[in-house]
Amino acid sequence: MKPPSIFNLFKKILDINSSKSKHIKKLISSGVKIVDINSVYIEDSVEILPGSVILPSTFLLGDTKIESDSIIGPNTTISNSKIGKGSKVLYSIITDSNIGNDNKIGPFTYVRESTFTDSNVQLGNFVEVKTSNIGKESKSKHLAYIGDVRLENNVNIGAGTVVANFDGKIKHETSIKENVFIGSNSTIISPVIINSNSVVGAGSVVTKNVLSKETVVGNPARKLRK
């Protein structure tokens, strides 16, 4: 059985030799701070702008660009991705994605293919994101899976939330509009639309669209009566 793509990344890393490339020396002379050149691997194709800091045990691969004033690592792998200005990526893996300015990623976050984040996004410990767009000021700080989601500005994804995007045959998309609050341990069964300024109560299972300014709770989630 063919191993997942992430294992292929680490196979490349095993080919590191003891000599440090001219590329790393060029980065340092341009104003990039590399804390420990003996523990990092940076391919020649990687672009890092001045003012960024690369911490130990960091691997930067492929068509990757790190904008200025970013902090990457330690123990981080980024492949074929762009990291925006002033962003921090800690103990995380990012592949084939575009991270916006002033993001906070990690620790232990896995950002997978075709994910795009806007500015001031926070993705925390044990959060996995795949093929999703995440708007400004939105956050998911703990223990969540966000797959095939169009998530607008200022959305809170509570701990333990899962977007169930796969029905066994097809992967479906979900849309979460601005200013939505998703309570902890919620399950969102795609495809649904959760409209703006609504609230999904903790532990809810969302199987139908949620109206704007509506609060839903329960399994299946229903409108909360006053």
Side-chain angles (χ1 to χ4, degrees):
M1 189 169 91
K2 185 177 180 180
S5 59
I6 190 62
F7 292 101
N8 291 334
L9 291 179
F10 285 105
K11 185 178 178 182
K12 292 182 67 176
I13 292 168
L14 293 176
D15 295 331
I16 301 172
N17 59 41
S18 59
S19 63
K20 292 296 143 185
S21 70
K22 293 180 180 179
H23 184 54
I24 288 181
K25 295 177 182 177
K26 182 179 178 181
L27 290 171
I28 293 172
S29 64
S30 73
V32 176
K33 183 176 182 180
I34 300 177
V35 174
D36 181 7
I37 64 171
N38 294 310
S39 69
V40 300
Y41 179 58
I42 303 173
E43 290 190 331
D44 291 348
S45 55
V46 173
E47 180 181 359
I48 308 176
L49 297 188
S52 287
V53 178
I54 310 301
L55 296 172
S57 299
T58 292
F59 302 92
L60 304 177
L61 311 172
D63 185 18
T64 289
K65 180 177 181 180
I66 311 296
E67 296 283 359
S68 60
D69 303 318
S70 294
I71 300 175
I72 309 299
N75 295 302
T76 291
T77 299
I78 300 174
S79 174
N80 298 318
S81 298
K82 179 180 177 182
I83 309 299
K85 181 178 180 180
S87 289
K88 298 178 181 179
V89 184
L90 169 68
Y91 287 98
S92 296
I93 297 173
I94 299 174
T95 62
D96 303 294
S97 295
N98 193 327
I99 302 300
N101 295 337
D102 300 306
N103 278 210
K104 294 181 179 178
I105 309 295
F108 313 119
T109 304
Y110 186 15
V111 180
R112 293 170 53 194
E113 65 273 9
S114 302
T115 291
F116 297 84
T117 70
D118 211 318
S119 59
N120 295 294
V121 168
Q122 297 182 54
L123 300 173
N125 50 293
F126 304 105
V127 173
E128 180 178 353
V129 184
K130 173 252 176 190
T131 316
S132 296
N133 288 6
I134 301 181
K136 297 177 182 178
E137 307 288 344
S138 290
K139 54 186 175 288
S140 177
K141 291 190 173 182
H142 318 278
L143 300 163
Y145 175 67
I146 302 169
D148 298 283
V149 177
R150 299 294 173 263
L151 192 151
E152 294 187 0
N153 300 339
N154 194 38
V155 173
N156 181 86
I157 304 293
T161 294
V162 172
V163 179
N165 59 332
F166 186 50
D167 65 5
K169 295 181 180 179
I170 300 173
K171 291 186 177 180
H172 299 278
E173 290 188 2
T174 276
S175 177
I176 302 177
K177 304 298 185 181
E178 63 183 7
N179 303 319
V180 167
F181 184 93
I182 308 291
S184 297
N185 294 316
S186 296
T187 302
I188 300 167
I189 310 296
S190 300
V192 293
I193 300 172
I194 301 177
N195 283 287
S196 61
N197 301 291
S198 59
V199 175
V200 175
S204 297
V205 179
V206 179
T207 59
K208 297 180 180 179
N209 294 346
V210 178
L211 299 179
S212 181
K213 299 182 180 180
E214 190 173 57
T215 298
V216 297
V217 296
N219 180 10
R222 297 179 178 85
K223 181 179 179 181
L224 180 65
R225 298 184 182 277
K226 293 183 179 179

